[in-house]
Amino acid sequence: MVRHLVALALLAMAMAPASAQAQAWQLERSEVHKIEAEDGHAYSVSIAWPQGDAPEQGWPVLWVLDGADNFAIAALTARRLARAGERSGIHHGVVVGIDSGPLTRRIFDYTPRLEGYEIPAGLPGHGHMTGGSQAFLALVRQSIVPVVARNVPIDNARQTLLGHSFGAVLALEAMEGEGPWSRFAVVSPSLWFGDEVPVTRIRPSGKVGEVLIALGDGETSRAGTEACDAAERLRDRLAEHGIASQVSLLSGHDHGTTMLAAMGQAIALAFGEEGRK
C-alpha cells in the first residue's frame, strides 16, 4: 500500500502543470544598467528599444523619471501605440527609465536647492532633505546619456523628459540647463514647493520646444495653492518666454492616478507625428 501511494504521488508530481516552473516576467529588447554617483549611490537605468533598424538620424527618446514605477508601462504603451501607427499617429522610439531608489533620495534628487527652505509640516516630503537636483541633472548629462547613446542609436534633436509630482518639478528645472531634452511632459507638478518657486524662477533655454502640463480635476490644494490655478500661472510664465504649452485636465483623476492617465499624451509628445515635423 505504501509503495502504491508513493507511486501515485510521484505520478502526480510529474503531471503537475508547467506553471509550477514559472519564470520571472521580462521585457524583450531591453536592458538595465547600474550607474553610481560620486557619493556611491546607485541608480537603475532601464532602456527599451524598438525592433528593426533605427532611422538614419536615430530613435527619438522618452526619458521617464521614477523608472521602477513607470518604465515598463511607458515602454509597452509606446510599442502598442506604434504598432497602430496609422491610427494613432505614434512612431517607434526608445524609452529610458531612471530610478533614484528610496523616497528620501528621490525627493533630494528632484528638488532645487533653496537656502533655508524646508518642506512645511503636513505637506508631501516633510522631514526629507531637498536640493539635489543640479547634481542629479549633471549625473544624467555626464554619465547616463553616454550609456544610452552607446547602446542604442538616438536622435539628439528629439528627446522628451517625463516627470510626475516632484519629478515634474525636476523637469521644469531641466528646461533651464544643458540637458538633451527639448520637449517636456510635466504631470501633476508640485508647484507649491518653495512657495511656487518652480513657476516664479523658471528661465527656459532657447532649446525648449513643446511642453505638456497635465493634472487631474480631482487634485486637492497644496499649501493653499489650487493645482489648476498654479498650472495656469505656469503656462502664462512659459508664454512670457515664448513657449506655448498645453494644459491637459484629466477628468476623474487625482494626484495619484494622473501619471497613468497622461502616459498616452506624453508618448504622443515624444513619438507622435507632430514631433517629426
Side-chain angles (χ1 to χ4, degrees):
M1 175 65 72
V2 173
R3 290 181 179 177
H4 180 65
L5 292 175
V6 170
L8 288 176
L10 291 174
L11 178 62
M13 292 173 62
M15 297 177 63
S19 60
Q21 301 175 10
Q23 297 180 352
W25 178 85
Q26 294 181 344
L27 179 64
E28 283 187 283
R29 301 184 304 283
S30 70
E31 58 190 23
V32 180
H33 298 262
K34 295 295 182 183
I35 296 177
E36 286 193 4
E38 289 184 358
D39 64 1
H41 182 74
Y43 293 84
S44 177
V45 178
S46 304
I47 309 170
W49 58 91
Q51 192 171 22
D53 297 330
E56 183 178 350
Q57 69 274 22
W59 299 112
V61 183
L62 174 62
W63 298 77
V64 185
L65 298 173
D66 293 316
D69 291 333
N70 302 317
F71 167 72
I73 296 169
L76 289 172
T77 303
R79 289 178 179 181
R80 178 172 183 173
L81 291 174
R83 287 197 300 269
E86 291 186 2
R87 300 193 306 274
S88 68
I90 306 297
H91 297 263
H92 290 289
V94 168
V95 175
V96 177
I98 306 176
D99 194 73
S100 291
L103 177 64
T104 297
R105 186 70 182 212
R106 174 190 185 267
I107 293 173
F108 180 70
D109 284 343
Y110 292 176
T111 53
R113 181 177 181 179
L114 302 177
E115 196 67 36
Y117 177 77
E118 294 182 1
I119 297 176
L123 292 180
H126 170 67
H128 293 280
M129 186 178 296
T130 61
S133 58
Q134 285 300 308
F136 176 74
L137 289 170
L139 175 78
V140 174
R141 292 194 308 268
Q142 298 165 13
S143 299
I144 297 179
V145 170
V147 168
V148 176
R150 284 197 300 268
N151 283 272
V152 291
I154 60 176
D155 183 349
N156 293 323
R158 294 189 60 200
Q159 308 270 320
T160 303
L161 180 60
L162 166 62
H164 172 264
S165 193
F166 283 134
V169 171
L170 179 79
L172 292 173
E173 188 167 4
M175 292 182 186
E176 306 174 16
E178 301 174 356
W181 312 286
S182 58
R183 297 178 178 86
F184 298 85
V186 293
V187 181
S188 295
S190 298
L191 299 178
W192 53 262
F193 181 86
D195 297 325
E196 284 199 28
V197 73
V199 177
T200 57
R201 84 173 193 185
I202 189 169
R203 300 289 187 275
S205 72
K207 186 178 180 180
V208 177
E210 300 173 72
V211 177
L212 167 68
I213 305 167
L215 68 159
D217 63 358
E219 301 218 34
T220 57
S221 62
R222 306 274 187 170
T225 300
E226 291 294 340
C228 290
D229 293 343
E232 290 177 0
R233 285 191 288 275
L234 174 60
R235 179 187 58 194
D236 294 343
R237 187 69 171 174
L238 290 171
E240 291 175 8
H241 292 275
I243 298 169
S245 57
Q246 171 194 353
V247 177
S248 176
L249 192 61
L250 305 169
S251 178
H253 291 277
D254 59 21
H255 193 79
T257 63
T258 49
M259 187 62 157
L260 289 175
M263 188 63 73
Q265 294 180 59
I267 290 168
L269 178 67
F271 306 143
E273 197 67 48
E274 289 298 318
R276 297 167 65 88
K277 295 180 180 179

